[in-house]
């Protein structure tokens, strides 16, 4: 992953703040963001730009979707392995399983921010870097099949977190480099659908593995699960090298004209565009922006409400069915949530709106968590799984698109902001596993009531940010408008 000389092109060609109003393409001056919506965002009309986005979609989205699908499949395999006597085979007792869940996110916390700073420094090729990280986590995931005790599982899970950590913030950064404010929510929702569908199909994959391979050749079913998923992940990582992009001005599978267009259109869509000053300066810019901390809190509350993810098979098993039926029943709620999430991303992008989308979806989740905690009726509890899965999963793309649009004044600030938001929010996965002690089943009253509170706080923080950005836009308007007549979206 040596540095490429072409990466200096990205910095040398960065569109300056003073150039936004007079940017040109093919020698023809363009008026930027005239007649856009309340934030100055404009829909695509140029056939060349439409063709560019289609080409980006055809390469970037399938690659990132498959990578995220396998990322979560490898990460969450332990939840299904638990139903195949993982705890008994490794001698886990008390809260040791919960610790094995939470230790993974300690590795995440250590690696995400440095990884995105490295990517934004333009000293590496993102396509090679992301693919190499995927090969590394595939190897570690496969090695999980070899652990013999609690200590071994803790060590493997920690390092799995370290090597998986670069993917999600890196994927978000790649999307933010190529897609505008009106486009990114849909793409993040498609990316996040990889996570949701992984949860949806993980149970089916595990059920098939346990039914056909359990104790074959002296290997337990849960061990076969880690081996198979790890090998598939490694193969996909090799293919991703040719599908993933690098920077807009250096992506090999774009023409020279497409590279320049990809670069310029993001510059024109950025509020408060500033000159790039390097990765370290981007870190300081992010830390000095108080809006970062509100977005961190919002995403932390949102991800805290998704804590049922790691325990979804356990929660569904509280309905009282056998292991195979339980694994099958985990599929429909997640599958529906993935479809709803994509629709929400499309809606948020089309209307360039965030606050009401967060409010309605997280409100639905609050109702779902309340039903799950309040009744033991099987039908009601299963319906509640659909409600809180659809509600919580669907807002992820909205919030992360909000981060990119609000804190993207330089590529480096955008990269580190996304990684900080993702890192701190994922700290919730360190403590939330302890909300699900076995003794609290089948209602899991502590967890479900906590999740309802987390969802409510997500809504509250979204409205605080909305009011904040509205006031900021008024100040920009009083000063003669934002750069290029673009304002903050909410």
């Amino acid at each position: 992953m040596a540095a490429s000389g072409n990466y200096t092109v990205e910095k040398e060609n960065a569109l300056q703040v003073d150039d936004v109003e007079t940017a040109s393409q093919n020698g023809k001056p363009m008026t930027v963001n005239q007649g856009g919506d309340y934030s100055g965002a404009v829909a695509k009309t140029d056939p060349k730009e439409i063709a560019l986005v289609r080409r980006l979609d055809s390469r970037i989205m399938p690659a990132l979707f498959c990578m995220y699908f396998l990322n979560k499949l490898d990460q969450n395999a332990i939840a299904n392995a638990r139903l195949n006597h993982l705890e008994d085979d490794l001698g886990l007792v008390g809260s040791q399983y919960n610790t094995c869940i939470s230790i993974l996110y300690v590795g995440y916390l250590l690696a995400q921010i440095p990884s995105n700073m490295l990517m934004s420094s333009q000293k590496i090729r993102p396509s090679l870097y992301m693919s190499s990280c995927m090969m590394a986590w595939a190897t570690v995931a496969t090695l999980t099949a070899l652990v013999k005790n609690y200590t071994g599982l803790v060590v493997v899970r920690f390092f799995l977190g370290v090597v998986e950590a670069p993917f999600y913030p890196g994927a978000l950064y790649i999307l933010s480099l190529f897609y505008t404010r009106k486009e990114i929510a849909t793409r993040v929702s498609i990316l996040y659908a990889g996570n949701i569908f992984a949860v949806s199909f993980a149970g089916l994959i595990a059920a098939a593995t346990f039914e056909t391979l359990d104790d074959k050749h002296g290997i337990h079913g849960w061990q076969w699960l880690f081996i198979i998923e790890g090998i598939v992940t490694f193969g996909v990582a090799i293919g991703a090298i040719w599908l993933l992009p690098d920077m807009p001005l250096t992506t090999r599978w774009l023409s020279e004209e497409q590279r320049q267009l990809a670069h310029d259109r993001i510059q024109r869509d950025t509020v408060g565009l500033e000159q790039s000053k390097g990765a370290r300066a981007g870190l300081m810019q992010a830390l000095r922006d108080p809006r970062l901390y509100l977005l961190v809190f919002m995403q932390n509350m949102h991800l805290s409400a998704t804590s049922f993810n790691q325990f979804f098979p356990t929660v569904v098993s509280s309905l009282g069915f056998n292991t195979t039926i339980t694994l099958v029943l985990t599929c429909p709620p997640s599958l529906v949530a993935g479809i709803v999430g994509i629709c929400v991303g499309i809606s948020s992008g089309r209307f360039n709106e965030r606050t009401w989308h967060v409010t309605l979806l997280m409100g639905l989740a609050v109702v779902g968590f309340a039903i799950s905690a309040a009744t033991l009726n099987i039908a009601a509890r299963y319906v509640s799984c659909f409600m809180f899965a659809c509600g919580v999963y669907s807002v992820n793309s909205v919030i992360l698109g909000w981060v990119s649009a609000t804190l993207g004044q330089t590529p480096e600030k955008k990269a580190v902001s996304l990684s900080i938001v993702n890192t701190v929010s994922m700290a919730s996965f360190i403590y939330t596993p302890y909300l699900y002690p076995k003794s609290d089943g089948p209602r899991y009253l502590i967890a479900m009531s906590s999740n309802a509170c987390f969802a409510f706080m997500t809504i509250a923080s979204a409205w605080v940010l909305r009011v904040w950005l509205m006031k900021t836009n008024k100040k920009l308007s009083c000063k003669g408008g934002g750069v290029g007549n673009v304002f903050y979206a909410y």
Side-chain angles (χ1 to χ4, degrees), residues 361-392:
L361 272 301
M362 294 305 278
L364 177 67
V366 170
V367 176
F369 290 131
I371 292 173
S372 183
T375 181
L376 291 175
N377 179 273
I378 293 177
R381 287 175 62 80
Y382 194 53
V383 169
S384 74
C385 291
F386 284 87
M387 295 175 69
F388 62 67
C390 289
V392 171

Side-chain angles (χ1 to χ4, degrees), residues 21-56:
E21 291 283 4
T22 58
S24 64
Q25 182 181 356
N26 299 328
K28 298 179 181 180
M30 294 185 296
T31 302
V32 180
N33 286 342
Q34 299 297 318
D37 64 13
Y38 73 97
S39 70
V42 178
K44 298 183 295 295
T45 56
D46 183 357
K48 291 184 178 179
E49 185 177 3
I50 293 173
L52 168 64
V53 174
R54 286 176 178 170
R55 181 162 178 77
L56 294 174

Side-chain angles (χ1 to χ4, degrees), residues 9-26:
V9 175
E10 196 74 38
K11 291 183 178 180
E12 292 172 357
N13 284 271
L15 193 63
Q16 305 301 312
V17 174
D18 293 337
D19 294 333
V20 175
E21 291 283 4
T22 58
S24 64
Q25 182 181 356
N26 299 328

Side-chain angles (χ1 to χ4, degrees), residues 279-485:
R280 186 174 299 176
L283 172 63
M284 298 310 299
Q285 287 174 320
L287 293 176
R288 287 194 295 264
D289 194 327
R291 296 169 300 188
L292 170 69
Y293 302 99
L294 179 56
L295 285 161
V296 164
F297 177 78
M298 187 192 308
Q299 181 68 348
N300 181 275
M301 290 294 97
H302 161 247
L303 284 192
S304 294
T306 69
S307 61
F308 66 87
N309 185 4
Q310 295 277 8
F311 292 86
F312 202 42
T314 302
V315 172
V316 175
S317 69
S318 68
L319 299 177
F321 297 103
N322 64 39
T323 298
T324 300
I325 294 178
T326 293
L327 290 170
V328 172
L329 288 176
T330 61
C331 179
S334 300
L335 191 60
V336 172
I339 296 171
V340 172
I342 293 175
C343 293
V344 169
I346 293 172
S347 174
S348 177
R350 179 179 179 182
F351 296 104
N352 202 18
E353 201 285 329
R354 290 120 176 94
T355 314
W356 281 107
H357 284 78
V358 172
T359 301
L360 295 176
L361 272 301
M362 294 305 278
L364 177 67
V366 170
V367 176
F369 290 131
I371 292 173
S372 183
T375 181
L376 291 175
N377 179 273
I378 293 177
R381 287 175 62 80
Y382 194 53
V383 169
S384 74
C385 291
F386 284 87
M387 295 175 69
F388 62 67
C390 289
V392 171
Y393 286 145
S394 297
V395 304
N396 188 70
S397 62
V398 179
I399 296 175
L400 292 173
W402 214 348
V403 175
S404 175
T406 305
L407 304 175
Q409 286 69 46
T410 67
E412 294 83 3
K413 180 183 178 183
K414 182 186 296 185
V416 76
S417 295
L418 286 167
S419 62
I420 289 174
V421 168
N422 201 54
T423 298
V424 179
S425 63
M426 291 190 75
S428 64
F429 292 152
I430 295 177
Y431 58 81
T432 52
Y434 297 98
L435 297 175
Y436 294 83
K438 279 187 174 182
S439 59
D440 206 30
R443 286 187 178 180
Y444 294 99
L445 182 61
I446 296 174
M448 293 303 168
S449 57
S450 297
N451 290 340
C453 292
F454 296 144
F456 176 78
M457 293 307 298
T458 305
I459 296 171
S461 55
W463 280 94
V464 172
L465 183 57
R466 179 188 179 94
V467 173
W468 192 343
L469 295 180
M470 289 175 70
K471 290 183 177 180
T472 303
N473 284 347
K474 286 182 179 180
K475 292 179 181 178
L476 290 174
S477 181
C478 291
K479 293 179 180 179
V483 176
N485 290 323

